[in-house]
Amino acid sequence: MAVGLLGTAASGLQAFQRALSVTGDNINNANTEGYSRQRIELAARASTFTGQGYIGSGVKVQGIERMFDQFTVDRLRDTTSSSSQYETFFEFSGRVANLLGDADAGLSAGLNSFFDAVQTVADDPASIPARQLMLAESDSLIARFHTLDSQLDSMRSEINGSMGSIVVEINGLSSAIADANRGIADATSQGSGAVPNDLLDKRDNLINQLSELVSVRTVQQNDGAVNVFVGSGQSLVTGYLASPLQTVSGSFDSSRTEITMGNGGSATVVTNNLNGGKLGAILDFRDQVLNPAQNSLGRIAVSLATEFNQQHTLGMDLAGAVGLDYFSITTPLVADSTANTGAAAVTASFDSANIDDLTTEDYVLGFNAGVWSASRASDGQSVAMTGTGTAADPFIFDGLSIEVAGIAAAGDRFQIRATRSGSSDMGLLLSNPREIAAATLAAAAAPGDNSNALLLAGLQSGQTMENGATNFQGAYGQLIAELGTQTRSAQIAAEAQGALLVQAQESRDSLSGVNLDEEAANLLRFQQAYSAVAQVISVANSTFQTLINAVGR
Amino acid sequence: MRIGTLHMFRQGVNGMLDQQVKLFNTQNQLSTGKRINNPSDDPTSAARLIGLSESAKTTAQYQDNILAARTRLELEEAALGSVGDALLRVRELAVAGQNNTYGLQERTALALEIRQLADEVMGLGNRKQANGQFMFSGYQVQTTPFSETAPGVFSYAGDQGQRLIQVGPARQIADGDSGQAVFMDIPDGGGGFESVFATLENLATNLEANIAPTAADLAQMDRAMEHLVGFRAAGGARLNALENQQGINETMLLQLEVTRSSIEDLDYAEAASRLSLESIVLQAAQQAFVKVQNLNLFNFL
């Protein structure tokens, strides 16, 4: 009888010691990111049959449960992805908007000063200082184009660098997840069904970190391993195996970094399939903000230079000579795809007669079934073009003139970045102030004639962009409004996603998070239970002692 | 419902951080005095501001242009005034020369003065602007317009160019007249033209030969003076027009500034009270954080 009581009490001591140690573990990990609180499950031990009936034989630890719900964890992961995506997008696009929208450093002030200087020449066309001022203001306008453009360029290199480091981070996380998969599967089989809670937490935390970088989907396997998919279903982790991502230079443009998956010959470009998280944000930023902004700035440079040159060459300089080209611009960038097999060469130039048709798009010129066709790079929509592509009759579309020489193979593709380098290629051709063609072309020099200078100054308000819908400054205003709107909506989305993230975190924590008050209460509860059980031992002991004493007398 | 301790901590910290961001933005607005500091603060208005600043800068440039044109027109006005005075004096001398009692001696004296006045008129015709350029040589601003190439032969070396100055978005005003129009193309009453120099030379030559000026000579003098008055009136009208345009531009600048201010400038009263509200909220968040963090069952064990 007393021996039975001792046994029962011993089971209690053991159980409550376990309970105290689980509580202690929870308290210790109250500040551990991703830790799920654990709960001890106690159960009565099987009772034994005596003549008087079944008598209980104590308590046992049924298991240690990890408080966890897959749904809340998935939701937390999704909101982490979108939150970090919008946060990053907002940060990057805000930088471009602030750079170009700055009242002093932006293009707007430079355009104003330049045209003011043209007006000054119109006021006093024979004045050499006025002409020198106009050249100086032209120089600083060009410097402004160059500075803004190089800042956008350096953001591109920054993005390429970020893509590289994010890919390294993703690879590290995915191989850690694969390792955790193996550890969990091993521990589960060794523990005959019991799961290693800390490893599960660790893996969940890794996947959560991964979701900050790129959006992920997981599928649970029977052996406890999870398969992780990124983007539109690319398998990043399969069981114990992680497929590494890699960064490579783009097939058209070596300054454009692409991401591939798989090794060697089987590597495929997955850039367009990746979305969500920091990586998704950077890729979106590159295609939706950075490239269009640089094209937009370049378009203003190309339009301004072309229009100004056209008017300038209609005039006459101080010496009575016909006006020369004022600004220099080069041609649109054309890149062959590295996959091309034909021998065709494509050259592009600006179609100065239709320069107001110029857009901010990049184009792809493709040769299929014996026919050349053009489409927009952004959305693949085809663009109508006229001409046959020969030197005498070039393809004409959207302010561009394209000439094709040599024989192309079916499937050959050429990318035309019409205005990407417009800003950086802009230069000033005139260096002698006397060569400014302020006068209208006449039989003899007319130093006091300002007619052409008036027409040059008038270009400021000329509706020469967007098919004659706006002027240079207006096109710039549109760019700023667009950047502002993109940044603003990213900001709003980031705030909304931030709130959702807090909610998801809250609902995950309301189940899995450690609450110190609760643990303190549990500590008290189990400590008291332990003391009570110790009391039972003491009673068992004294009962036994009573018996010994009685017998010994 | 239960709350994780870590979550409670995080929430408290996030709350304070959010408030700090708001407070920082308000502080930034107060220190710049601008409601819009980044394009994303109000994208549409940011684009409008670019247009407004372009209009304001261009209008200010028109005001500069007006100043340049006005200086020139005023100098031309002064020159033409002096020419008018000289011609008036010549006419007096011509009338005096008709006096029957005058002989060769008197007429030669008259001719001498007329020649001096003729030199003065040519000097005025060859006058320069403040920038050193000839006033009456059309576009040939570096060429002396008038000269006597041979005794009694006067030529004009400028051209007929008349420069227009942009003084408003759609308004150009001439900043002068060519010497050809002012001094050379004076109607001779018979469908042809005679220069003012030739008229004066003619008078002087006749007087030197003791020939009294005829009625036709006087009529030619009158036509020259009338012609000149026409140009002075036109110059005055242009000066008036410049003044009007200046007023219009000023109103425009004011209007632009009012619009810019209403879009961009901060409502200080509103921002200041927002600032104090936000700092109260931040303080409350800080105090709540400390209070809540101190609430812990372990404190009582």
Side-chain angles (χ1 to χ4, degrees):
Chain A
M1 167 71 209
V3 176
L5 187 59
L6 264 182
T8 307
S11 79
L13 282 183
Q14 214 169 31
F16 292 121
Q17 240 172 24
R18 286 277 146 75
L20 280 169
S21 94
V22 168
T23 307
D25 202 30
N26 283 341
I27 293 171
N28 281 321
N29 285 298
N31 289 319
T32 305
E33 199 64 54
Y35 177 79
S36 305
R37 86 187 150 102
Q38 297 179 12
R39 193 169 65 184
I40 191 150
E41 304 219 328
L42 299 175
R45 284 218 293 207
S47 45
T48 45
F49 182 70
T50 66
Q52 291 75 35
Y54 286 93
I55 288 189
S57 60
V59 66
K60 68 173 180 184
V61 176
Q62 180 89 344
I64 297 170
E65 198 195 348
R66 171 173 173 254
M67 303 306 291
F68 158 88
D69 173 47
Q70 190 62 48
F71 176 72
T72 54
V73 168
D74 285 349
R75 196 153 77 93
L76 178 62
R77 204 170 277 159
D78 285 349
T79 46
T80 304
S81 264
S82 0
S83 171
S84 89
Q85 179 189 358
Y86 288 112
E87 197 74 45
T88 311
F89 189 92
F90 165 60
E91 184 202 315
F92 274 102
S93 74
R95 277 169 60 191
V96 176
N98 294 353
L99 169 72
L100 297 177
D102 190 286
D104 303 318
L107 187 66
S108 181
L111 277 174
N112 279 335
S113 306
F114 168 69
F115 278 108
D116 280 358
V118 180
Q119 291 256 5
T120 310
V121 170
D123 282 354
D124 193 353
S127 155
I128 298 296
R131 287 166 174 263
Q132 263 157 349
L133 176 72
M134 180 169 153
L135 289 185
E137 286 296 350
S138 309
D139 262 334
S140 58
L141 176 65
I142 290 166
R144 220 171 256 253
F145 270 115
H146 288 179
T147 310
L148 292 174
D149 189 69
S150 72
Q151 272 167 353
L152 294 178
D153 261 345
S154 69
M155 285 190 80
R156 177 170 290 106
S157 341
E158 189 186 326
I159 281 177
N160 288 341
S162 304
M163 281 170 75
S165 59
I166 288 176
V167 160
V168 169
E169 227 176 308
I170 289 177
N171 288 342
L173 287 169
S174 56
S175 62
I177 292 169
D179 287 350
N181 271 345
R182 183 188 294 276
I184 288 164
D186 287 356
T188 309
S189 67
Q190 282 161 17
S192 54
V195 287
N197 289 337
D198 50 345
L199 264 181
L200 290 175
D201 277 347
K202 188 183 155 200
R203 186 178 64 190
D204 274 347
N205 202 24
L206 287 170
I207 297 175
N208 213 18
Q209 283 176 36
L210 186 64
S211 74
E212 240 175 77
L213 302 174
V214 63
S215 94
V216 295
R217 291 273 167 280
T218 58
V219 175
Q220 182 91 34
Q221 300 297 104
N222 287 335
D223 62 353
V226 291
N227 292 346
V228 180
F229 302 91
V230 290
S232 54
Q234 279 65 37
S235 155
L236 192 65
V237 179
T238 316
Y240 313 154
L241 263 183
S243 328
L245 299 180
Q246 266 181 322
T247 52
V248 296
S249 292
S251 62
F252 280 125
D253 171 9
S254 61
S255 72
R256 181 188 169 91
T257 300
E258 303 280 0
I259 295 174
T260 61
M261 188 180 249
N263 288 316
S266 67
T268 46
V269 174
V270 293
T271 320
N272 291 336
N273 302 322
L274 298 173
N275 54 44
K278 266 187 196 161
L279 187 58
I282 285 177
L283 295 173
D284 285 352
F285 166 73
R286 179 169 71 179
D287 288 338
Q288 292 165 19
V289 178
L290 186 62
N291 291 347
Q294 210 168 10
N295 287 356
S296 218
L297 197 65
R299 181 173 67 149
I300 296 173
V302 170
S303 295
L304 174 67
T306 310
E307 297 284 350
F308 207 84
N309 284 351
Q310 277 180 6
Q311 189 59 51
H312 197 257
T313 47
L314 292 176
M316 182 176 74
D317 69 10
L318 264 189
V322 180
L324 304 167
D325 271 345
Y326 190 87
F327 290 113
S328 63
I329 38 164
T330 51
T331 52
L333 296 169
V334 179
D336 324 13
S337 168
T338 47
N340 283 0
T341 52
V346 170
T347 47
S349 57
F350 294 110
D351 174 19
S352 28
N354 298 307
I355 200 72
D356 40 342
D357 293 345
L358 213 55
T359 72
T360 58
E361 297 284 342
D362 294 340
Y363 301 91
V364 173
L365 193 68
F367 186 71
N368 285 303
V371 180
W372 289 96
S373 63
S375 60
R376 298 207 295 237
S378 59
D379 54 9
Q381 202 174 318
S382 74
V383 180
M385 56 185 194
T386 61
T388 52
T390 60
D393 183 22
F395 293 130
I396 299 279
F397 62 94
D398 288 0
L400 297 174
S401 161
I402 314 281
E403 208 183 304
V404 179
I407 307 297
D412 281 2
R413 280 147 43 93
F414 298 82
Q415 190 194 47
I416 299 158
R417 276 169 287 149
T419 59
R420 180 70 55 81
S421 63
S423 313
S424 59
D425 286 345
M426 192 184 191
L428 185 61
L429 291 172
L430 256 56
S431 56
N432 182 352
R434 301 180 156 276
E435 285 177 349
I436 293 174
T440 299
L441 204 52
D449 183 6
N450 68 347
S451 328
N452 202 46
L454 281 179
L455 293 172
L456 287 170
L459 289 174
Q460 180 176 22
S461 52
Q463 308 280 296
T464 51
M465 296 196 72
E466 293 271 347
N467 291 319
T470 189
N471 62 354
F472 308 122
Q473 197 77 263
Y476 192 65
Q478 275 176 16
L479 170 64
I480 300 302
E482 216 168 279
L483 288 170
T485 310
Q486 278 173 322
T487 309
R488 178 116 190 101
S489 51
Q491 186 183 13
I492 292 168
E495 277 163 11
Q497 290 298 326
L500 286 178
L501 177 63
V502 168
Q503 277 177 22
Q505 187 82 53
E506 193 178 323
S507 64
R508 185 239 168 225
D509 281 4
S510 77
L511 178 69
S512 305
V514 176
N515 182 308
L516 283 177
D517 284 346
E518 184 184 46
E519 299 304 327
N522 281 341
L523 206 59
L524 279 178
R525 181 158 68 106
F526 295 132
Q527 191 192 11
Q528 280 167 6
Y530 188 88
S531 310
V533 173
Q535 208 60 45
V536 172
I537 288 183
S538 154
V539 167
N541 182 38
S542 65
T543 314
F544 195 60
Q545 217 56 70
T546 311
L547 190 61
I548 294 289
N549 290 345
V551 173
R553 195 172 290 166
Chain B
M1 174 75 189
R2 57 189 294 288
I3 293 173
T5 303
L6 182 59
H7 184 69
M8 213 150 74
F9 175 82
R10 248 189 322 236
Q11 273 289 77
V13 173
N14 284 345
M16 287 186 288
L17 291 179
D18 287 351
Q19 275 311 314
Q20 265 171 4
V21 169
K22 284 184 189 161
L23 202 61
F24 171 79
N25 286 338
T26 308
Q27 192 195 1
N28 192 24
Q29 286 186 334
L30 279 166
S31 61
T32 57
K34 287 179 181 176
R35 186 176 69 82
I36 301 172
N37 287 296
N38 297 317
S40 58
D41 293 343
D42 186 346
T44 334
S45 298
R48 273 191 75 198
L49 283 174
I50 286 183
L52 284 171
S53 108
E54 180 190 24
S55 301
K57 279 216 77 176
T58 314
T59 310
Q61 178 63 40
Y62 292 149
Q63 296 291 68
D64 288 353
N65 297 356
I66 287 175
L67 203 65
R70 186 152 77 184
T71 317
R72 286 176 207 159
L73 284 172
E74 279 168 357
L75 280 173
E76 181 184 325
E77 156 78 18
L80 292 183
S82 304
V83 174
D85 292 347
L87 293 189
L88 204 61
R89 176 70 187 142
V90 171
R91 196 182 185 282
E92 282 170 22
L93 296 171
V95 171
Q98 285 182 323
N99 194 331
N100 289 334
T101 61
Y102 276 22
L104 180 62
Q105 197 182 354
E106 288 83 356
R107 291 209 165 102
T108 307
L110 291 176
L112 189 67
E113 192 176 347
I114 287 179
R115 284 200 184 280
Q116 271 166 4
L117 286 166
D119 282 351
E120 190 185 323
V121 169
M122 180 163 290
L124 288 166
N126 285 337
R127 192 174 251 198
K128 288 178 175 177
Q129 291 282 6
N131 57 9
Q133 298 170 11
F134 289 101
M135 198 182 282
F136 292 110
S137 58
Y139 290 153
Q140 303 302 326
V141 292
Q142 281 142 350
T143 309
T144 311
F146 301 107
S147 58
E148 189 174 3
T149 43
V153 181
F154 301 95
S155 72
Y156 175 64
D159 59 21
Q160 311 226 28
Q162 188 180 36
R163 195 165 46 228
L164 293 172
I165 299 291
Q166 194 84 35
V167 295
R171 184 136 199 220
Q172 297 177 342
I173 287 179
D175 69 348
D177 300 281
S178 82
Q180 177 80 34
V182 178
F183 294 92
M184 307 299 279
D185 291 350
I186 299 167
D188 64 1
F193 296 107
E194 185 178 295
S195 81
V196 67
F197 308 111
T199 307
L200 299 187
E201 171 71 23
N202 200 23
L203 273 176
T205 314
N206 283 345
L207 283 170
E208 281 159 358
N210 199 16
I211 303 171
T214 61
D217 288 340
L218 286 182
Q220 183 59 31
M221 274 308 294
D222 288 343
R223 275 193 292 272
M225 282 157 70
E226 201 180 314
H227 183 75
L228 204 69
V229 166
F231 278 99
R232 287 182 70 183
R238 282 183 214 141
L239 280 168
N240 272 343
L242 285 181
E243 204 160 315
N244 278 343
Q245 188 62 40
Q246 203 170 18
I248 292 170
N249 290 348
E250 243 158 53
T251 316
M252 177 79 178
L253 278 172
L254 188 70
Q255 202 51 54
L256 287 169
E257 173 57 20
V258 168
T259 314
R260 184 206 62 75
S261 170
S262 73
I263 293 174
E264 191 179 28
D265 284 352
L266 184 68
D267 177 349
Y268 271 97
E270 183 272 331
S273 60
R274 183 148 43 91
L275 185 78
S276 70
L277 180 69
E278 279 164 1
S279 32
I280 291 171
V281 175
L282 177 59
Q283 266 173 21
Q286 287 165 338
Q287 280 171 2
F289 180 76
V290 173
K291 280 242 162 76
V292 170
Q293 288 302 309
N294 280 335
L295 278 184
N296 195 322
L297 190 51
F298 284 101
N299 294 340
F300 304 104
L301 290 186

